[in-house]
Amino acid sequence: MLIIGITGGTGCGKTTVVNQIIKELSGEEVTVISQDSYYKDLSYLSFSDRTKINFDHPNSIDFDLLKEHLLALREGKDIQSPTYSFVEHNRTNETILVKPTKVVIVEGILIFAHPDIRELFDIKIFVHADSDERLIRRIKRDTTERGRDVNEVLNRYQTTLKPMHLEFIEPAKEFADIIIPNNKRNKVAIDIIKTIVHNRIFQK
């Protein structure tokens, strides 16, 4: 099994890069796991209190469960991945059955911030994008998909997202094997990664 970690700041285009990598792979060969599914269960808090949580800090992620699940997949075992509601700021009661595949891609802004998780990645990729572009994408996504208003998004960006990016995400570049610019000039980097993935999948 090949485990790939893909990180970068919010709105940097991780999903686009993931889709570019898996485009030529069948569903039976690759599984994508999102860090967002592993936000900690906050059912013991009220909705009002949950909205005050700093979700851009590593402490918001259940890295123990993520590590347990990645190790289980590597051992050929099925897992029940949690699901998360950005509207409710909490996990749902539903889980998703995930079966082991030849390639597992883990994407998320904080996955390089935890040493145990970082060490599980065979390839570590950092997606770089301009900060203004990332903010614009974040505003569009959170207002259309996550029920936020613009003021809420901007306030969170100023008070938590930007400071956490500078403290935990930007420094993670030093752990990356490959840094991909999320623009039209990233084709060579994507092709290199595709070649590595194909070689690892089909090597005997």
PDB file of all heavy atoms in Angstrom, residues 138-154:
ATOM      1  N   ARG A 138     -11.796  30.325  -0.006  1.00  0.00           N
ATOM      2  CA  ARG A 138     -12.392  29.979   1.282  1.00  0.00           C
ATOM      3  C   ARG A 138     -13.748  30.666   1.451  1.00  0.00           C
ATOM      4  O   ARG A 138     -14.712  30.048   1.911  1.00  0.00           O
ATOM      5  CB  ARG A 138     -11.434  30.396   2.411  1.00  0.00           C
ATOM      6  CG  ARG A 138     -11.978  30.185   3.819  1.00  0.00           C
ATOM      7  CD  ARG A 138     -11.959  28.732   4.227  1.00  0.00           C
ATOM      8  NE  ARG A 138     -12.453  28.544   5.582  1.00  0.00           N
ATOM      9  CZ  ARG A 138     -11.826  27.840   6.522  1.00  0.00           C
ATOM     10  NH1 ARG A 138     -10.692  27.236   6.248  1.00  0.00           N
ATOM     11  NH2 ARG A 138     -12.335  27.718   7.723  1.00  0.00           N
ATOM     12  N   ILE A 139     -13.806  31.939   1.078  1.00  0.00           N
ATOM     13  CA  ILE A 139     -15.070  32.675   1.191  1.00  0.00           C
ATOM     14  C   ILE A 139     -16.146  32.026   0.320  1.00  0.00           C
ATOM     15  O   ILE A 139     -17.279  31.802   0.760  1.00  0.00           O
ATOM     16  CB  ILE A 139     -14.875  34.151   0.798  1.00  0.00           C
ATOM     17  CG1 ILE A 139     -13.999  34.866   1.833  1.00  0.00           C
ATOM     18  CG2 ILE A 139     -16.231  34.851   0.678  1.00  0.00           C
ATOM     19  CD1 ILE A 139     -13.616  36.280   1.439  1.00  0.00           C
ATOM     20  N   LYS A 140     -15.787  31.723  -0.921  1.00  0.00           N
ATOM     21  CA  LYS A 140     -16.757  31.114  -1.838  1.00  0.00           C
ATOM     22  C   LYS A 140     -17.235  29.767  -1.304  1.00  0.00           C
ATOM     23  O   LYS A 140     -18.434  29.467  -1.326  1.00  0.00           O
ATOM     24  CB  LYS A 140     -16.115  30.935  -3.213  1.00  0.00           C
ATOM     25  CG  LYS A 140     -15.917  32.227  -3.987  1.00  0.00           C
ATOM     26  CD  LYS A 140     -15.287  31.963  -5.349  1.00  0.00           C
ATOM     27  CE  LYS A 140     -15.131  33.245  -6.150  1.00  0.00           C
ATOM     28  NZ  LYS A 140     -14.478  32.993  -7.471  1.00  0.00           N
ATOM     29  N   ARG A 141     -16.310  28.945  -0.829  1.00  0.00           N
ATOM     30  CA  ARG A 141     -16.679  27.611  -0.347  1.00  0.00           C
ATOM     31  C   ARG A 141     -17.540  27.670   0.906  1.00  0.00           C
ATOM     32  O   ARG A 141     -18.575  27.000   1.005  1.00  0.00           O
ATOM     33  CB  ARG A 141     -15.421  26.785  -0.056  1.00  0.00           C
ATOM     34  CG  ARG A 141     -15.714  25.347   0.351  1.00  0.00           C
ATOM     35  CD  ARG A 141     -14.455  24.644   0.848  1.00  0.00           C
ATOM     36  NE  ARG A 141     -13.986  25.252   2.101  1.00  0.00           N
ATOM     37  CZ  ARG A 141     -12.827  24.930   2.679  1.00  0.00           C
ATOM     38  NH1 ARG A 141     -12.014  24.061   2.115  1.00  0.00           N
ATOM     39  NH2 ARG A 141     -12.468  25.497   3.823  1.00  0.00           N
ATOM     40  N   ASP A 142     -17.119  28.465   1.893  1.00  0.00           N
ATOM     41  CA  ASP A 142     -17.821  28.470   3.171  1.00  0.00           C
ATOM     42  C   ASP A 142     -19.199  29.111   3.077  1.00  0.00           C
ATOM     43  O   ASP A 142     -20.107  28.751   3.822  1.00  0.00           O
ATOM     44  CB  ASP A 142     -16.985  29.190   4.229  1.00  0.00           C
ATOM     45  CG  ASP A 142     -15.832  28.335   4.743  1.00  0.00           C
ATOM     46  OD1 ASP A 142     -15.604  27.259   4.161  1.00  0.00           O
ATOM     47  OD2 ASP A 142     -15.166  28.730   5.713  1.00  0.00           O
ATOM     48  N   THR A 143     -19.358  30.073   2.178  1.00  0.00           N
ATOM     49  CA  THR A 143     -20.671  30.711   2.048  1.00  0.00           C
ATOM     50  C   THR A 143     -21.637  29.875   1.222  1.00  0.00           C
ATOM     51  O   THR A 143     -22.851  29.915   1.460  1.00  0.00           O
ATOM     52  CB  THR A 143     -20.546  32.121   1.414  1.00  0.00           C
ATOM     53  OG1 THR A 143     -19.841  32.023   0.173  1.00  0.00           O
ATOM     54  CG2 THR A 143     -19.802  33.056   2.354  1.00  0.00           C
ATOM     55  N   THR A 144     -21.122  29.099   0.276  1.00  0.00           N
ATOM     56  CA  THR A 144     -22.015  28.318  -0.592  1.00  0.00           C
ATOM     57  C   THR A 144     -22.233  26.898  -0.098  1.00  0.00           C
ATOM     58  O   THR A 144     -23.293  26.313  -0.319  1.00  0.00           O
ATOM     59  CB  THR A 144     -21.480  28.265  -2.036  1.00  0.00           C
ATOM     60  OG1 THR A 144     -20.171  27.671  -2.038  1.00  0.00           O
ATOM     61  CG2 THR A 144     -21.396  29.662  -2.620  1.00  0.00           C
ATOM     62  N   GLU A 145     -21.239  26.321   0.595  1.00  0.00           N
ATOM     63  CA  GLU A 145     -21.316  24.916   0.976  1.00  0.00           C
ATOM     64  C   GLU A 145     -21.478  24.690   2.475  1.00  0.00           C
ATOM     65  O   GLU A 145     -21.961  23.633   2.886  1.00  0.00           O
ATOM     66  CB  GLU A 145     -20.055  24.174   0.506  1.00  0.00           C
ATOM     67  CG  GLU A 145     -19.841  24.179  -0.993  1.00  0.00           C
ATOM     68  CD  GLU A 145     -18.551  23.493  -1.389  1.00  0.00           C
ATOM     69  OE1 GLU A 145     -17.951  22.805  -0.532  1.00  0.00           O
ATOM     70  OE2 GLU A 145     -18.120  23.636  -2.550  1.00  0.00           O
ATOM     71  N   ARG A 146     -21.084  25.661   3.296  1.00  0.00           N
ATOM     72  CA  ARG A 146     -21.033  25.402   4.734  1.00  0.00           C
ATOM     73  C   ARG A 146     -21.901  26.341   5.559  1.00  0.00           C
ATOM     74  O   ARG A 146     -21.782  26.400   6.774  1.00  0.00           O
ATOM     75  CB  ARG A 146     -19.574  25.464   5.215  1.00  0.00           C
ATOM     76  CG  ARG A 146     -18.711  24.400   4.542  1.00  0.00           C
ATOM     77  CD  ARG A 146     -17.275  24.435   5.016  1.00  0.00           C
ATOM     78  NE  ARG A 146     -16.498  23.355   4.405  1.00  0.00           N
ATOM     79  CZ  ARG A 146     -15.207  23.145   4.626  1.00  0.00           C
ATOM     80  NH1 ARG A 146     -14.541  23.937   5.456  1.00  0.00           N
ATOM     81  NH2 ARG A 146     -14.573  22.143   4.044  1.00  0.00           N
ATOM     82  N   GLY A 147     -22.761  27.081   4.907  1.00  0.00           N
ATOM     83  CA  GLY A 147     -23.736  27.886   5.624  1.00  0.00           C
ATOM     84  C   GLY A 147     -23.164  29.058   6.395  1.00  0.00           C
ATOM     85  O   GLY A 147     -23.783  29.550   7.347  1.00  0.00           O
ATOM     86  N   ARG A 148     -21.989  29.554   6.013  1.00  0.00           N
ATOM     87  CA  ARG A 148     -21.387  30.688   6.711  1.00  0.00           C
ATOM     88  C   ARG A 148     -21.753  31.987   5.997  1.00  0.00           C
ATOM     89  O   ARG A 148     -22.075  32.004   4.809  1.00  0.00           O
ATOM     90  CB  ARG A 148     -19.862  30.566   6.738  1.00  0.00           C
ATOM     91  CG  ARG A 148     -19.332  29.218   7.167  1.00  0.00           C
ATOM     92  CD  ARG A 148     -19.372  29.024   8.673  1.00  0.00           C
ATOM     93  NE  ARG A 148     -18.534  27.883   9.050  1.00  0.00           N
ATOM     94  CZ  ARG A 148     -18.973  26.653   9.216  1.00  0.00           C
ATOM     95  NH1 ARG A 148     -20.253  26.393   9.028  1.00  0.00           N
ATOM     96  NH2 ARG A 148     -18.159  25.673   9.570  1.00  0.00           N
ATOM     97  N   ASP A 149     -21.662  33.111   6.727  1.00  0.00           N
ATOM     98  CA  ASP A 149     -21.776  34.402   6.049  1.00  0.00           C
ATOM     99  C   ASP A 149     -20.383  34.993   5.902  1.00  0.00           C
ATOM    100  O   ASP A 149     -19.438  34.566   6.559  1.00  0.00           O
ATOM    101  CB  ASP A 149     -22.725  35.348   6.788  1.00  0.00           C
ATOM    102  CG  ASP A 149     -22.250  35.699   8.191  1.00  0.00           C
ATOM    103  OD1 ASP A 149     -21.092  36.133   8.337  1.00  0.00           O
ATOM    104  OD2 ASP A 149     -23.036  35.547   9.151  1.00  0.00           O
ATOM    105  N   VAL A 150     -20.262  36.000   5.047  1.00  0.00           N
ATOM    106  CA  VAL A 150     -18.946  36.553   4.711  1.00  0.00           C
ATOM    107  C   VAL A 150     -18.237  37.103   5.941  1.00  0.00           C
ATOM    108  O   VAL A 150     -17.031  36.887   6.137  1.00  0.00           O
ATOM    109  CB  VAL A 150     -19.079  37.654   3.632  1.00  0.00           C
ATOM    110  CG1 VAL A 150     -17.731  38.336   3.390  1.00  0.00           C
ATOM    111  CG2 VAL A 150     -19.598  37.056   2.331  1.00  0.00           C
ATOM    112  N   ASN A 151     -18.969  37.816   6.806  1.00  0.00           N
ATOM    113  CA  ASN A 151     -18.348  38.387   7.993  1.00  0.00           C
ATOM    114  C   ASN A 151     -17.770  37.316   8.902  1.00  0.00           C
ATOM    115  O   ASN A 151     -16.691  37.480   9.483  1.00  0.00           O
ATOM    116  CB  ASN A 151     -19.356  39.243   8.766  1.00  0.00           C
ATOM    117  CG  ASN A 151     -19.681  40.536   8.052  1.00  0.00           C
ATOM    118  OD1 ASN A 151     -18.867  41.055   7.290  1.00  0.00           O
ATOM    119  ND2 ASN A 151     -20.881  41.070   8.291  1.00  0.00           N
ATOM    120  N   GLU A 152     -18.508  36.210   9.033  1.00  0.00           N
ATOM    121  CA  GLU A 152     -18.031  35.108   9.865  1.00  0.00           C
ATOM    122  C   GLU A 152     -16.742  34.520   9.295  1.00  0.00           C
ATOM    123  O   GLU A 152     -15.788  34.245  10.018  1.00  0.00           O
ATOM    124  CB  GLU A 152     -19.098  34.017   9.966  1.00  0.00           C
ATOM    125  CG  GLU A 152     -18.677  32.818  10.814  1.00  0.00           C
ATOM    126  CD  GLU A 152     -19.709  31.721  10.815  1.00  0.00           C
ATOM    127  OE1 GLU A 152     -20.772  31.887  10.174  1.00  0.00           O
ATOM    128  OE2 GLU A 152     -19.453  30.671  11.454  1.00  0.00           O
ATOM    129  N   VAL A 153     -16.706  34.347   7.969  1.00  0.00           N
ATOM    130  CA  VAL A 153     -15.522  33.783   7.324  1.00  0.00           C
ATOM    131  C   VAL A 153     -14.321  34.705   7.495  1.00  0.00           C
ATOM    132  O   VAL A 153     -13.217  34.267   7.831  1.00  0.00           O
ATOM    133  CB  VAL A 153     -15.778  33.533   5.824  1.00  0.00           C
ATOM    134  CG1 VAL A 153     -14.510  33.016   5.145  1.00  0.00           C
ATOM    135  CG2 VAL A 153     -16.923  32.538   5.633  1.00  0.00           C
ATOM    136  N   LEU A 154     -14.524  36.005   7.278  1.00  0.00           N
ATOM    137  CA  LEU A 154     -13.426  36.962   7.390  1.00  0.00           C
ATOM    138  C   LEU A 154     -12.926  37.063   8.831  1.00  0.00           C
ATOM    139  O   LEU A 154     -11.724  37.168   9.070  1.00  0.00           O
ATOM    140  CB  LEU A 154     -13.872  38.339   6.888  1.00  0.00           C
ATOM    141  CG  LEU A 154     -14.117  38.451   5.384  1.00  0.00           C
ATOM    142  CD1 LEU A 154     -14.664  39.832   5.028  1.00  0.00           C
ATOM    143  CD2 LEU A 154     -12.834  38.169   4.606  1.00  0.00           C
TER     144      LEU A 154
END
